[in-house]
Amino acid sequence: MLRTLLRRRKRALSSEDVTVADQPQVRRAVTAAALGNTMEWFDFGVYAYLAGTMGKVFFPSSSPGAQVVSTFATFAAAFLVRPLGGLVFGPLGDRIGRQKVLAATMIMMAASTFAVGFLPTYASVGFLAPLLLLVCRLVQGFSTGGEYAGATTYIAEYAPDRRRGFLGSWLDFGTFVGYALGSGLVTILTLTLGDQGLQDWGWRIPFFIAGPLGLIGLYMRLKLEETPAFKKEAAYAAAEGAAEDGAEAGAAGNTAAEAPPTARGNLKEIFTRHWHAVLICMGLVLLYNVTNYMVTSYLPTYMTVTLGQNDTTAQLLVLGTMLLVVLTITTVGHTSDRWGRRPVFLAGSVALIVLAVPAFLLIRAGGILLPALGCAVLGLLLVCFAGTAASTLPALFPTRLRYAALSIAFNISVSLFGGTTPLFTSALVELTGNDMVPAYYLMAAGVIGFVSTLFLHETAGKPLRGSGPMVETADEADRLVAHSRTAAGRQARDIWIRLRHPWAHRHRDDGRGRHD
């Protein structure tokens, strides 16, 4: 009994255990991380809105439906290499630091997107044109494999525990601002240049803009410092390594099994000790990204190619949906700090199952008002997941494995289910002739997300796994330490009473157990 009681005893916090957030540095971290997502999704918005035009430029010999499928196949190919990027950048970020890896991914993303603007067309070089487009997309997909997981990890490790939801939501705020900028630019180019002008040369303009955006993002990321959680973990690992080196260095028992853990060892630990967190992460990522890519990447093409609506009308409707998401996403993030992550995900999952079919029926109705209402419903469903994901996913894993575990779980799920959503749904609609397939696809994602959320532990307001508390002010840190010492003292008193009077605690718990 003594061992059990002592094992359950919690050590009181000291001032060194609590980190006080550097508010200016927090703002810089959030801005720099969000700008990377803005850059990434600027390209996605451009590519989604230019799907029809890109099909004519790079796949001119196909039918309109086959052109769309071919364009989305190239789009999906970038997602197939994302797990490879996650396998490279994730463990690297846990070893050398988050900031260095995020700078490298920014360079690769900007360069590959910028290069698309210089590609020759199919009319100029034939089959080489779509092949070069595929290469650019693969490079971007590889770099993106370390981008979102790194950015969410970076913000989560800088954010105070009580505001992680709000601050994390700014990352996906950058996502939808980038998409809105890209799609808005294509809409303006379509109105000013017309379809033919856009097909001849106008499609290159959005990709040229990606270069300067990438340079700005790189400059900001190079100015960042490493996260407090990573610094503490690195210092702890260094001290532990030094202690091991100094103890019996020449002993025969100092085998390879005692060596510092390698990337391969970390990967093994992720899938053996944290497999349940990996599965939960994959389910939540599936829920978020199927909804995300359905709305952002497939919906414009669905309304124009499948339903035959006017290009400009469809573009404006989806652009308005993105603006709705932008306006509400930080409110959802703040709400998750107060109500918790699980209630938001559960409510969004159930609503997606119930409202997916009505939303697509409204979009099919024709005109402006009803399709706008249907798009707004999808946007409000999407924001439930977008405003909560960046604060929920990093909290699933401990600090020393966080970047690698999140990169792998996130990118496997996105590659298999998220990025392939436009390809699968467009192919299924083409194959079956049923234009309600996208709604059924969303309902299936809602069911998987609901089940995953049932196994999710609430993390709102709590420290990240493997890290101490993060607070906003020194006064808050002092109060937290004092409260911890008081709680530890009460627990020590309770242990003493149980040791002296092993039967008396039963009667005491019946009367006052809740107050101790």
Side-chain angles (χ1 to χ4, degrees), residues 309-349:
Q309 296 181 2
N310 178 269
D311 284 0
T312 303
T313 301
Q315 291 173 352
L316 289 175
L317 286 175
V318 178
L319 179 58
T321 304
M322 292 303 98
L323 293 177
L324 176 63
V325 173
V326 167
L327 292 174
T328 55
I329 191 168
T330 56
T331 301
V332 173
H334 178 68
T335 300
S336 76
D337 284 328
R338 298 183 61 187
W339 293 357
R341 324 292 187 218
R342 292 183 80 248
V344 177
F345 267 111
L346 285 172
S349 301

Side-chain angles (χ1 to χ4, degrees), residues 75-131:
F75 180 82
F79 289 85
L80 298 180
V81 299
R82 285 183 68 155
L84 297 178
L87 284 171
V88 172
F89 291 119
L92 197 62
D94 285 328
R95 284 213 318 259
I96 68 173
R98 287 75 161 110
Q99 184 265 345
K100 296 182 180 66
V101 174
L102 285 174
T105 58
M106 174 63 77
I107 293 173
M108 295 182 67
M109 276 199 311
S112 57
T113 305
F114 188 54
V116 174
F118 293 95
L119 293 182
T121 64
Y122 188 93
S124 302
V125 296
F127 182 72
L128 183 61
L131 185 62

